[in-house]
Amino acid sequence: MLGPVDLSRLPSFSETRRAVGARAALPLDRRSFVRLALGTGAGLVIGGLIESVPAGAEAAAASNAYDGVFTPFVRISPDNVVTVLIKHQDMGQGVTTGLSTLVADELDADWAQVVPEFSPANVALYKNFAFGVQGTGGSTAISNSFEQYRKAGAAARSMIVQAAAKRWGVAADSIKVSKGVVTSGAHSATFGDLAQEAAAVPVPADPTLKTPDQFTYIGKSFPRLDSKAKTTGARLYTQDVQLPGMLVATLARPARFGGVVKSVDDTAARAVKGVVDVVTTSRGVAVLATSTYPAIRARELLKITWDDAKADMRGTDALVAEYQKLADTPGVVAKAGDAEAALAKADRVIEASYVFPYLAHAPMEPMNCVAQFKDGRATLWTASQLQTVDQAVTAAIFGIKPEDVTINTLWAGGSFGRRGTYDADYIAETAEIVKVTGRGEPIKLVWTREDDIKGGYYRPVYVHKVRVGLDKDGAILGWHHRIVGQSIVSGTMFESALVKDGVDGTSVEGVSDTPYAIPNMHVELHSTTVGVRPLWWRSVGHTHTAYVMETMIDEVAAAGGKDPVEFRLALLAKHPRHTSVLKLAAEKAGWGTPAPEGVFRGVAVHESFKSFVAEVAEVRLVDGKPKVERVVAAVDCGLAVNADNIRSQVEGGVGFGLGAVLHGKVTLKDGVVEQGNFDSYEVLRINEMPRVEVHIVPSAEAPTGIGEPGVPPVGPAVANAISAGTGQRVRVLPFDVGLKLG
Amino acid sequence: MTTFQINGRDVTVSVEDDTPLLWVVRDELGLVGSKFGCGVAQCGACTMHLDGQPVRACVTPVSDVAGRKVTTIEGISGSVADAVRDAWVKLDVVQCGYCQSGQVMSAVALLAESPAPSDADIDTAMSGNICRCNTYQRIRTAIHDAATTLKG
């Protein structure tokens, strides 16, 4: 989803309006890294000595006597603990386990001695190679780290082996390492025993990596490192941060996007026991209290007059009507083909218009951040997803350098894209509150669920208009496709990487690059301007493009009286990875055999984030509503680093995508969001969760994404099943709105 | 002033009577395993047991628990809780984990009442607990697994 970003395009803030020139690598945090050695290889920088690191490693650092192997990615301490520094955010996708696996395998560590820890924010050491900044998204965590973390493990192993060879006076090649135990003949030692001597060994720049047949952990299903702590209440999130003297803040934001505070009467709010301050920032009115509940209660008592002069007053009905008109006019060409001429010659033209709603991410943990400004330095405790952006935005607000912003990245209670904002929204809100109050105490800003659902940063509204011309046999002659909607990245630092010739790639991905052998395909885009902030939402453009492509292809197959699987396979002849997942899902689902009485099947296949997923949905219609009983998925995401985690991500992705197509919608009336909590913004609950079977295609290709690719196919697979059962094509999402059954 | 028992310990707190139990437990007592997800009893992340019955602590005024026994994720124990946790770990149910304190508390309450629940029983008992990672399939399997363990 992302490419290298332009850091000179950081958002500006009304209060500071500072240009930020953090284009190049950020200097190292002086306090965190006092010695750096030997930086080489494909981004591998190894050999730094960390004197004190934030959060989890405080205890080790406090002694200032760390005497083991110590690199930016791996630490081995005399107590035989292997700490893996995780450069990515773990929002549930399991990357802490995944990256630890890569290190543990090459190091030949025992799984029980491995402890993950989030790395500091430091773009020089911890950038995502897919972005050029430190950050997580686009299902890139494993793919961009695969070689880097394996090399880090292999380097540490080499240091341990050399230390053992020296101690025992034996040849290095006589030494074996298995499950954290180092042996040679009668000699035996643990990593911990050798940690001090290994630390003196120069870090190899280009250690030898294992061949796949030598893997001990990679490719196996082994347990997550975070399961236990997440079932005992021990796992802490930003919401749980308690610091001495900390204040808790809530922020009253304008009801309309673009509104600003005109005046505020805070008398009643200030009278609430526990409230210590009320301040106005460029973004709203903040209430600060000694604990959470008074901050929430007192905010309800603020009497604020808003200035909506610059606010977007449109409702979503008006917006959709505008989009539909635009869809009838030429847009910017995203893919050129002579569709009109082909359509003119067609025996039959299928025409369809689709409407997709705004969607909130609604992670279980509402947005939050703890920030402190003291002695010219800012410190954040938050589930940072784009650390480099969060660092730079915070620095701009305080007028300090990015390297003077320390980020303690914490576990995220979900994200689905929400925490990866191009303007660091809730982090910037917190920093601004800290700045305006001038307080030295840490301040924790908490969002309520209503703040989250009403807060924007949605998957944008999109309208698609498609015309497909067929010959008398049902073969496709031409395909004309227009997409209308907001650009997610326009005006952000991601624009230069992702917008080409006026086309935001995230608006058309999945259509303009379709693998189907479609002749005379023409794709156009209208990028609209709306006050509602858009954002990537788990699988980004594929959330709508896969739905349109896969339901249209299904409709074309049906028009020609062809089997949906056979029809797709014929158009995918040059795409073996698509066809293999499609065939596998069809076979495992029993495609072609009778479905259970009253059950209808639908299929979809889609590539996203370089992974390939096909899904077959079995749907029963109960009282006029679809009940999805079973989803069979087949996945090719390259080499399966952890098969069980892949299954887990696809199971979850199916539920996430299904909830959205069944119920998900954020609507606006006169510019005001109509939903507020889970009673009005409905998400999937357990009673609607189908049985999900996930089958993985064995592959030796480099690993690709899995956090997102399970999401796109489920909506169209279910829609195609509904069509198979009723003949009705659902083109207005969600189904709660667009599916009308008797 | 309200006095109640939490995880076997008597506590007295000095907060407004209408303060939700969730915020008393999290902010006054420092037990942060129970989560805030919605504030309106829609998501179940705050689920605690009150005299053994599951309640949504985000809408339970602290005055309602005076003299009663509150159990949180930090305090839940016994064979049912052990079986549930073991099943959760064995099957790697969790993803982000934020909802899982509430899921575990609801699952323990279900199994205490109904030792061999059907899928439909599970769906009914657990539909008040939202998981945005959609770990529901594994939650179902883990509850069956825990039930099997408890049956011996």
Side-chain angles (χ1 to χ4, degrees):
Chain A
M1 120 189 142
L2 302 179
V5 302
D6 180 0
L7 274 177
S8 68
R9 297 284 310 273
L10 276 166
S12 58
F13 294 91
S14 55
E15 198 193 22
T16 57
R17 296 286 176 199
R18 279 176 61 93
V20 178
R23 184 183 285 273
L26 302 175
L28 291 169
D29 178 343
R30 183 175 49 82
R31 291 196 310 175
S32 295
F33 295 83
V34 295
R35 179 172 69 86
L36 247 196
L38 302 173
T40 57
L44 178 68
V45 183
I46 201 160
L49 177 69
I50 301 176
E51 180 188 68
S52 68
V53 298
E58 278 168 3
S63 69
N64 195 23
Y66 200 92
D67 46 10
V69 174
F70 217 139
T71 79
F73 298 102
V74 185
R75 297 201 306 259
I76 302 173
S77 53
D79 63 1
N80 206 29
V81 170
V82 174
T83 304
V84 179
L85 284 103
I86 307 296
K87 69 177 185 176
H88 286 292
Q89 186 211 53
D90 199 322
M91 57 197 95
Q93 84 281 36
V95 68
T96 46
T97 300
L99 296 184
S100 298
T101 302
L102 302 179
V103 168
D105 198 318
E106 293 287 351
L107 178 57
D108 285 316
D110 187 74
W111 189 239
Q113 73 187 139
V114 176
V115 176
E117 178 183 305
F118 294 114
S119 79
N122 184 317
V123 71
L125 292 176
Y126 300 118
K127 71 167 75 69
N128 181 329
F129 295 120
F131 304 170
V133 298
Q134 188 176 350
T136 305
S139 296
T140 58
I142 290 294
S143 60
N144 97 93
S145 309
F146 189 62
E147 187 171 301
Q148 181 180 44
Y149 273 71
R150 287 174 61 206
K151 277 192 171 180
R157 184 188 190 279
S158 170
M159 293 160 76
I160 290 279
V161 166
Q162 288 177 66
K166 190 174 172 193
R167 183 196 281 192
W168 297 331
V170 301
D173 61 10
S174 75
I175 291 173
K176 292 188 169 55
V177 186
S178 177
K179 293 194 173 170
V181 179
V182 187
T183 54
S184 175
H187 301 291
S188 177
T190 66
F191 290 172
D193 295 336
L194 294 161
Q196 277 178 279
E197 290 150 72
V201 175
V203 184
D206 203 11
T208 307
L209 297 180
K210 290 182 177 178
T211 52
D213 58 298
Q214 296 173 310
F215 290 153
T216 49
Y217 295 122
I218 296 169
K220 309 288 192 297
S221 290
F222 46 86
R224 293 177 69 107
L225 290 165
D226 53 349
S227 274
K228 182 111 193 261
K230 287 177 174 176
T231 57
T232 60
R235 171 61 66 234
L236 300 181
Y237 302 82
T238 307
Q239 191 78 24
D240 308 324
V241 171
Q242 304 272 10
L243 296 168
M246 186 183 81
L247 297 174
V248 181
T250 53
L251 184 67
R253 300 172 189 79
R256 291 189 173 90
F257 297 98
V260 292
V261 178
K262 187 187 270 178
S263 65
V264 56
D265 173 359
D266 60 14
T267 315
R270 283 182 182 274
V272 172
K273 189 179 160 195
V275 170
V276 298
D277 207 353
V278 177
V279 296
T280 299
T281 76
S282 71
R283 296 147 187 273
V285 180
V287 176
L288 287 83
T290 51
S291 61
T292 316
Y293 189 60
I296 292 173
R297 274 284 291 128
R299 184 176 65 164
E300 294 165 5
L301 301 174
L302 290 170
K303 295 192 183 81
I304 304 172
T305 308
W306 299 96
D307 177 357
D308 283 336
K310 290 182 179 167
D312 198 324
M313 308 293 281
R314 287 176 290 183
T316 32
D317 287 348
L319 211 57
V320 168
E322 286 177 32
Y323 283 16
Q324 283 169 328
K325 276 187 196 162
L326 271 175
D328 287 329
T329 65
V332 179
V333 176
K335 178 188 177 79
D338 199 354
E340 294 295 359
L343 288 166
K345 286 187 279 183
D347 285 271
R348 181 176 171 190
V349 174
I350 299 175
E351 191 169 324
S353 178
Y354 292 80
V355 179
F356 295 89
Y358 281 120
L359 293 174
H361 307 70
M364 288 312 295
E365 182 187 19
M367 298 303 101
N368 42 34
C369 173
V370 183
Q372 183 173 29
F373 187 71
K374 209 174 165 185
D375 305 327
R377 294 186 56 88
T379 306
L380 306 177
W381 293 261
T382 192
S384 179
Q385 188 171 345
L386 290 172
Q387 284 90 344
T388 309
V389 175
D390 296 342
Q391 210 171 20
V393 168
T394 304
I397 288 171
F398 289 114
I400 58 177
K401 289 183 266 176
E403 60 266 32
D404 289 332
V405 178
T406 299
I407 301 181
N408 301 296
T409 295
L410 305 180
W411 294 81
S415 175
F416 318 113
R418 179 61 185 85
R419 296 174 202 275
T421 47
Y422 37 76
D423 61 358
D425 66 313
Y426 59 96
I427 290 166
E429 284 180 349
T430 317
E432 201 190 343
I433 291 167
V434 170
K435 178 166 185 184
V436 170
T437 60
R439 288 175 177 273
E441 305 100 325
I443 293 175
K444 173 162 70 178
L445 174 68
V446 298
W447 285 43
T448 61
R449 178 59 57 196
E450 288 78 8
D451 296 335
D452 175 55
I453 302 296
K454 293 178 181 294
Y457 298 95
Y458 304 131
R459 194 289 303 275
V461 166
Y462 288 99
V463 164
H464 287 237
K465 187 170 182 188
V466 189
R467 287 175 296 143
V468 184
L470 309 179
D471 70 11
K472 60 181 176 11
D473 300 320
I476 299 172
L477 294 175
W479 185 298
H480 191 279
H481 200 134
R482 277 203 195 106
I483 302 173
V484 184
Q486 288 169 262
S487 163
I488 293 170
V489 301
S490 177
T492 76
M493 72 187 77
F494 297 98
E495 180 172 335
S496 59
L498 294 174
V499 178
K500 300 289 180 218
D501 300 325
V503 175
D504 179 343
T506 71
S507 298
V508 299
E509 60 187 359
V511 172
S512 57
D513 54 355
T514 182
Y516 288 117
I518 297 172
N520 303 307
M521 187 176 189
H522 184 81
V523 183
E524 294 179 2
L525 174 67
H526 288 278
S527 291
T528 57
T529 302
V530 185
V532 182
R533 287 173 292 262
L535 189 60
W536 23 68
W537 187 101
R538 194 174 183 179
S539 78
V540 198
H542 304 283
T543 56
H544 54 103
T545 59
Y547 188 91
V548 174
M549 289 306 297
E550 284 302 294
T551 54
M552 282 305 296
I553 283 286
D554 213 73
E555 191 164 348
V556 170
K562 305 207 174 74
D563 175 79
V565 171
E566 294 301 324
F567 184 72
R568 283 174 172 81
L569 289 173
L571 291 179
L572 292 168
K574 290 182 180 163
H575 296 272
R577 297 179 80 180
H578 286 83
T579 54
S580 73
V581 292
L582 182 54
K583 283 177 182 170
L584 183 59
E587 176 206 325
K588 297 290 183 185
W591 190 267
T593 65
E597 179 70 28
V599 170
F600 301 94
R601 290 197 186 110
V603 66
V605 59
H606 194 76
E607 176 190 353
S608 61
F609 311 96
K610 299 179 182 166
S611 292
F612 307 80
V613 181
E615 293 173 12
V616 173
E618 291 188 347
V619 182
R620 186 184 296 278
L621 297 166
V622 182
D623 301 329
K625 294 202 165 185
K627 166 85 177 149
V628 183
E629 298 195 332
R630 178 181 180 228
V631 173
V632 178
V635 182
D636 176 356
C637 57
L639 188 145
V641 172
N642 184 331
D644 192 55
N645 195 56
I646 289 167
R647 284 192 287 272
S648 172
Q649 285 304 300
V650 175
E651 290 164 15
V654 164
F656 194 81
L658 180 59
V661 296
L662 292 178
H663 309 301
K665 67 173 194 304
V666 170
T667 55
L668 292 88
K669 189 171 190 302
D670 302 326
V672 178
V673 174
E674 296 183 290
Q675 292 72 24
N677 210 309
F678 289 123
D679 48 354
S680 46
Y681 186 76
E682 287 185 62
V683 299
L684 200 82
R685 292 173 182 269
I686 195 170
N687 57 304
E688 290 187 311
M689 183 72 189
R691 281 180 292 124
V692 183
E693 299 165 27
V694 183
H695 303 277
I696 300 168
V697 174
S699 172
E701 301 281 337
T704 48
I706 202 57
E708 297 169 272
V711 175
V714 69
V718 171
N720 292 337
I722 289 169
S723 179
T726 67
Q728 189 182 156
R729 294 282 171 190
V730 188
R731 295 195 177 113
V732 177
L733 278 290
F735 293 176
D736 282 352
V737 176
L739 178 61
K740 307 285 184 210
L741 296 173
Chain B
M1 299 272 274
T2 306
T3 299
F4 59 100
Q5 199 183 82
I6 184 146
N7 300 335
R9 176 169 63 98
D10 289 323
V11 290
T12 300
V13 292
S14 174
V15 294
E16 304 288 330
D17 280 356
D18 64 351
T19 306
L21 177 63
L22 176 66
W23 297 116
V24 174
V25 169
R26 286 180 54 86
D27 286 1
E28 306 296 323
L29 305 178
L31 297 172
V32 294
S34 310
K35 301 305 183 195
F36 167 68
C38 73
V40 294
Q42 281 288 318
C43 80
C46 66
T47 303
M48 299 180 190
H49 291 185
L50 181 58
D51 293 334
Q53 294 299 310
V55 294
R56 309 302 184 210
C58 71
V59 293
T60 305
V62 69
S63 52
D64 279 12
V65 308
R68 301 172 71 181
K69 291 179 182 174
V70 175
T71 307
T72 69
I73 186 70
E74 291 91 346
I76 191 83
S77 61
S79 59
V80 178
D82 289 347
V84 167
R85 284 197 175 111
D86 288 350
W88 248 246
V89 171
K90 178 174 134 191
L91 293 160
D92 268 347
V93 169
V94 308
Q95 289 187 30
C96 89
Y98 193 81
C99 75
Q100 298 292 350
S101 293
Q103 304 281 2
V104 166
M105 294 302 283
S106 290
V108 170
L110 165 65
L111 287 168
E113 287 278 316
S114 171
S118 64
D119 276 354
D121 295 337
I122 292 171
D123 286 358
T124 302
M126 303 297 291
S127 63
N129 289 80
I130 294 173
C131 172
R132 287 292 286 148
C133 301
N134 288 269
T135 62
Y136 301 124
Q137 167 154 293
R138 291 183 187 221
I139 287 172
R140 251 187 229 137
T141 311
I143 290 173
H144 287 306
D145 186 84
T148 305
T149 303
L150 288 165
K151 204 170 143 195

